Amino acid sequence: MKLDLGSLELGVATAATQIEGGNADTNWHRWAEAGGVKDGSTPARACDHWNRVDEDIALLKELGVRHYRMGLEWARIEPAPGVFDQDAIDHYRYEVKALREAGIAPLVTLHHFNNPGWVEEKGAWTDPKVIPVFLAYVRHVLNALSEWVDEWVTINEPNVYATQSYAFGEWPPGEKNLGHAMKVMSNLAQAHCRAYSLIHALQPCARVGVAHHLRVFDPANRHNPADSVGAKTMEYLFQTAVLEATCYGRFLPPLTRTPRIDGGNYFDFLGVNYYTRSWVKGTAQGTRPDSPVNDLGWEIYPDGLTQLLTSMYEKYPAPIYITENGTADRADAWRARYVYEHLAAAVESGAPVERYYHWCFTDNWEWIEGEVPRFGLVGLDYETGVRTVRPSGRFFADIGAQGGVTDEAYERWVAPAEYRQG
Ligand code: IFM
């Protein structure tokens, strides 16, 4: 065996807005309709998963996938304040039950960058008043789905949502206001802590965590204090502060909290979404020159995963779920190598990594990048909706079946795959 996964189990990840299709009134539908997406697409098409749940579950089963991370579209469930749509709830109940019956354990994300339009109109996460509103939605979901679901991601990548939407202005609502971004991160972290307590009150056996977007921040020149200080500062503002708040209820500046959140333990697993590293020059971050990159220009850096897992487990000792890891590789030329090297990096860290969810199951609507990037183990023809398992998807299925990467699988799928340099 080239790589033995031991007790690490495999899954795949998705998010509601990126795969479901349909016209739910969300911040992202509004943003896309207003022309905010590079290729002019909207989430209305996506993978049409809403209408193809059975087909997609059958495909998961065919590939031997044991764990499925999926999101919920809050705007479908609560299309107007305090109005809950029973048809939408029934649809999700159907889906999670069908997953269980197929032997697949769902991990459900409650918020994945997607707000109902009416939440967005009220200032969304800039206003702490959204927290009780979110909690009412969480309570409703728990009551409806906890028969089938006992693992929950409260918030996906609070740091990415806050910075892209409020500091860099690239995502809805397109603000460039660092103060607002920090307020949003604080409110999301508070919402997580309170949702954590609520979910445990409703379902004591639940496992609850955040899916954190974590990266390695390296100074471009270690001997240049501006680069080193820049890297440390970015790391702190982008990930350390929000980790402390969401794991321990420790709100360090610039994050703030209402007096209601006590210090404590607010995570049953540490969710890690890992994609790349930031190469920091002073106050700017970019990609290390001459490194392998994916179709979006993101550096491919598996060693960063080993480093992160080792250091994160020291600070936040809990079972680790790699809640996302994957890459945009339209030609499927090297995705198998990427998977192999990141799984090997996870094993090598020695940290208790219990799960690895590959992003993404199928190609998906990739926010402002639209339909162009191809993250799927399964390729999607957007015109016809036809799904085709890529060779890397067959490799992934083989890893699951064998409990690791056999010598034959390595020779067949990994050895011939070469990255391209940036
Ligand atoms: O598609 C996204 C996902 O929604 C959040 N994590 C990163 C992925 C790839 O960009």
Side-chain angles (χ1 to χ4, degrees):
M1 184 78 94
K2 190 87 180 162
L3 175 67
D4 187 341
L5 291 188
S7 56
L8 197 167
E9 294 186 355
L10 300 186
V12 294
T14 60
T17 312
Q18 295 181 270
I19 65 162
E20 283 180 357
N23 282 315
D25 179 22
T26 69
N27 53 339
W28 278 99
H29 277 77
R30 291 181 179 195
W31 182 258
E33 290 291 346
V37 174
K38 291 180 187 170
D39 65 358
S41 64
T42 78
R45 179 157 78 169
C47 313
D48 194 28
H49 172 72
W50 189 258
N51 297 310
R52 293 172 182 257
V53 164
D54 293 327
E55 179 184 346
D56 284 342
I57 293 176
L59 191 49
L60 288 168
K61 200 170 170 189
E62 184 198 318
L63 295 178
V65 172
R66 303 260 308 276
H67 297 273
Y68 181 59
R69 179 177 167 217
M70 59 178 272
L72 303 178
E73 192 60 87
W74 182 2
R76 283 187 193 273
I77 293 174
E78 192 178 2
V83 177
F84 292 92
D85 183 323
Q86 195 54 44
D87 287 347
I89 287 285
D90 286 346
H91 177 99
Y92 287 123
R93 273 180 68 82
Y94 174 85
E95 179 165 6
V96 294
K97 179 169 179 278
L99 283 165
R100 284 286 185 200
E101 286 168 356
I104 301 164
L107 165 64
V108 170
T109 309
L110 294 156
H111 186 273
H112 193 125
F113 307 154
N114 50 346
N115 301 317
W118 57 269
V119 168
E120 197 74 358
E121 278 163 21
K122 292 182 181 166
W125 294 90
T126 58
D127 185 346
K129 287 203 194 91
V130 72
I131 298 171
V133 176
F134 176 68
L135 293 174
Y137 150 75
V138 172
R139 177 183 289 277
H140 207 88
V141 168
L142 257 286
N143 288 338
L145 303 188
S146 57
E147 192 179 343
W148 309 103
V149 180
D150 55 10
E151 298 195 311
W152 307 91
V153 167
T154 52
I155 315 272
N156 180 72
E157 300 183 352
N159 52 357
V160 171
Y161 170 75
T163 51
Q164 291 289 91
S165 298
Y166 292 93
F168 305 132
E170 293 191 348
W171 289 10
E175 278 194 33
K176 290 187 180 169
N177 179 334
L178 192 57
H180 268 185
M182 290 303 145
K183 220 191 246 182
V184 165
M185 237 192 277
S186 304
N187 289 332
L188 286 167
Q190 289 175 50
H192 161 72
C193 294
R194 296 186 53 191
Y196 177 91
S197 304
L198 173 65
I199 295 171
H200 276 286
L202 296 171
Q203 191 185 34
C205 67
R207 267 188 161 189
V208 186
V210 167
H212 288 281
H213 181 106
L214 300 179
R215 30 174 86 199
V216 172
F217 289 87
D218 275 340
N221 176 357
R222 296 186 181 276
H223 305 294
N224 180 343
D227 294 359
S228 304
V229 171
K232 283 271 163 255
T233 309
M234 280 182 206
E235 183 178 0
Y236 176 78
L237 289 176
F238 187 68
Q239 59 198 35
T240 312
V242 75
L243 276 162
E244 289 292 311
T246 52
C247 290
Y248 296 134
R250 212 180 272 151
F251 285 70
L252 307 171
L255 299 190
T256 50
R257 70 169 151 190
T258 57
R260 286 210 214 163
I261 307 241
D262 297 325
N265 246 53
Y266 293 99
F267 65 125
D268 303 314
F269 59 86
L270 186 75
V272 176
N273 294 359
Y274 177 76
Y275 289 90
T276 191
R277 94 166 127 185
S278 287
W279 192 244
V280 182
K281 282 192 184 161
T283 55
Q285 60 168 317
T287 306
R288 185 177 188 269
D290 303 324
S291 41
V293 292
N294 76 4
D295 293 351
L296 290 166
W298 303 355
E299 183 186 355
I300 297 168
Y301 185 48
D303 283 354
L305 182 59
T306 310
Q307 293 166 33
L308 264 177
L309 294 175
T310 311
S311 68
M312 288 299 143
Y313 186 61
E314 267 174 31
K315 292 189 218 146
Y316 311 103
I320 294 174
Y321 292 1
I322 296 176
T323 33
E324 286 180 28
N325 173 247
T327 195
D329 174 16
R330 173 173 283 269
D332 204 45
W334 37 261
R335 195 187 325 271
R337 174 171 289 282
Y338 182 101
V339 168
Y340 167 73
E341 291 185 356
H342 284 80
L343 283 172
V347 169
E348 192 177 316
S349 73
V353 182
E354 291 189 4
R355 307 265 176 83
Y356 171 96
Y357 292 86
H358 189 80
W359 183 273
C360 191
F361 170 40
T362 58
D363 290 334
N364 58 91
W365 188 75
E366 181 59 27
W367 312 114
I368 57 167
E369 305 294 337
E371 295 175 351
V372 174
R374 300 297 180 135
F375 277 90
L377 292 170
V378 175
L380 177 74
D381 180 331
Y382 280 99
E383 297 301 327
T384 61
V386 169
R387 283 98 163 111
T388 306
V389 180
R390 295 198 162 108
S392 58
R394 296 284 168 214
F395 172 56
F396 193 75
D398 192 74
I399 303 173
Q402 305 294 335
V405 179
T406 61
D407 294 340
E408 296 77 25
Y410 183 89
E411 287 309 319
R412 175 169 176 196
W413 282 292
V414 182
E418 280 180 21
Y419 296 133
R420 70 187 161 81
Q421 299 303 117

